[in-house]
Amino acid sequence: MNRELAKVGELLHCARRVLFITGAGVSAESQIPTFRGATAAFADGMTEDGMPFEEALGAETFNLNPALSWKYLALLELSIRGKLPNAAHEVMAALQSPRRDVFIATQNIDELHQRAGSRIVFELHGNLRRIICTRCDYNVHLETYEALAKLPRCPRCDAHLRPDVVLYGETLPLEVLDAFYQEQTKGFDLVFSVGTTSLFPYVVEPVMAAVRQGVPVVEINPETTPISSLADFRFAAPAGQTLRNMVRP
Ligand code: NAD
Ligand code: ZN
């Protein structure tokens, strides 16, 4: 383990373009529950309204019954409120330098990468703190939802507001995907997958591309995932501690 850590540390030291693909596991050490952790809180993924969590947070439910979706969006917000970046976010941000670009493609909606100082963050699933109008271009960044009505409406046009996140059943933000693809075409020297289980193509494809191009792939996740067998280096340990040990002089 220590030799492997040192080896990846060396690769990081020399790398000019590093990609971190991150998921809920990266924020676990900030005491934000992972998706599975969060759904466990809803008794096996069911909400008290008798529908699966994913359905309550689905585009269809939002359109038919926005108050119901808002109830669970508010719970999600509560789970990230006041939470701070942890060592994993901090190490990724500290790796940025004039000679090294660090790109973060995250499924997280908690904004902790930016808070830690990461400058290039592709928010694939949006951002829970950004509130947008469903009709006009009104938008606002909120630290907390405390002052929001249960079913908030646009101060300009009175349409329903919503967080700027990708609800289940919605497509990913095109401009974000485009910007991420642009960087993928330029290639990376090192690709990390940290704290993510999901099998979405936009997460797997950059890893597959790295494998095809002979670019080293590193996975940090206490559990095995579909990406594990593709990784050149695998650390079955928490992200923060592992990354910190990796960059330790
Ligand atoms: P997931 O819950 O399916 O997987 C989380 C992964 O993190 C698991 O593989 C787990 O083994 C790993 N993990 C747990 N603790 C870890 C640690 N300390 N260090 C490293 N890895 C650790 O989540 P997912 O597949 O990333 O995402 C599912 C969806 O849920 C995403 O679309 C995301 O938008 C949303 N989500 C976001 C947040 C957030 O913004 N923080 C939190 C929960 C869910
Ligand atoms: Zn509006």
Side-chain angles (χ1 to χ4, degrees):
M1 173 94 166
N2 280 347
R3 272 220 345 239
E4 299 260 288
L5 272 175
K7 185 89 209 335
V8 180
E10 250 169 61
L11 289 172
L12 263 174
H13 184 73
C14 302
R16 297 290 170 107
R17 289 173 60 85
V18 181
L19 170 66
F20 285 96
I21 300 163
T22 73
V26 162
S27 293
E29 288 156 85
S30 296
Q31 274 69 55
I32 297 177
T34 59
F35 182 69
R36 277 172 291 165
T39 49
F42 295 101
D44 296 332
M46 286 302 279
T47 62
E48 62 183 23
D49 290 285
M51 64 168 66
F53 194 60
E54 287 90 339
E55 195 181 328
L57 291 176
E60 208 172 312
T61 304
F62 187 88
N63 290 333
L64 293 171
N65 188 353
L68 183 66
S69 295
W70 263 107
K71 175 175 166 188
Y72 293 98
L73 289 164
L75 279 180
L76 275 190
E77 190 275 327
L78 208 52
S79 78
I80 70 167
R81 193 181 294 173
K83 302 290 166 65
L84 300 171
N86 64 58
H89 302 101
E90 282 160 8
V91 169
M92 290 179 209
L95 282 165
Q96 301 171 117
S97 81
R99 54 173 292 281
R100 188 191 301 111
D101 288 329
V102 176
F103 303 89
I104 315 267
T106 189
Q107 300 183 327
N108 295 343
I109 53 179
D110 56 27
E111 215 179 63
L112 290 188
H113 283 297
Q114 290 94 323
R115 281 180 190 217
S118 282
R119 288 185 292 272
I120 314 171
V121 183
F122 303 111
E123 292 181 310
L124 300 168
H125 292 177
N127 184 325
L128 200 61
R129 300 184 202 268
R130 227 167 27 231
I131 303 290
I132 55 173
C133 176
T134 51
R135 187 186 295 148
C136 74
D137 63 0
Y138 174 82
N139 66 87
V140 64
H141 184 277
L142 290 183
E143 243 354 275
T144 92
Y145 286 6
E146 270 165 309
L148 267 189
K150 285 212 163 97
L151 181 57
R153 287 182 174 273
C154 177
R156 276 194 211 147
C157 78
D158 204 42
H160 291 303
L161 293 177
R162 60 169 287 178
D164 191 11
V165 292
V166 178
L167 296 173
Y168 290 94
E170 289 183 331
T171 51
L172 266 54
L174 256 186
E175 6 26 283
V176 175
L177 281 183
D178 272 355
F180 183 30
Y181 286 140
Q182 293 278 331
E183 296 303 339
Q184 287 181 57
T185 57
K186 295 182 201 156
F188 304 104
D189 310 320
L190 194 53
V191 171
F192 285 77
S193 169
V194 190
T196 178
T197 313
S198 305
L199 276 172
F200 298 111
Y202 49 85
V203 171
V204 177
E205 181 41 39
V207 172
M208 299 297 287
V211 171
R212 284 195 300 272
Q213 294 157 7
V215 171
V217 173
V218 183
E219 181 178 62
I220 308 176
N221 195 317
E223 290 174 23
T224 355
T225 78
I227 282 171
S228 301
S229 59
L230 301 172
D232 300 282
F233 300 92
R234 196 184 128 65
F235 301 95
Q241 168 200 319
T242 310
L243 281 162
R244 187 147 273 171
N245 290 338
M246 217 170 252
V247 296
R248 189 163 280 166

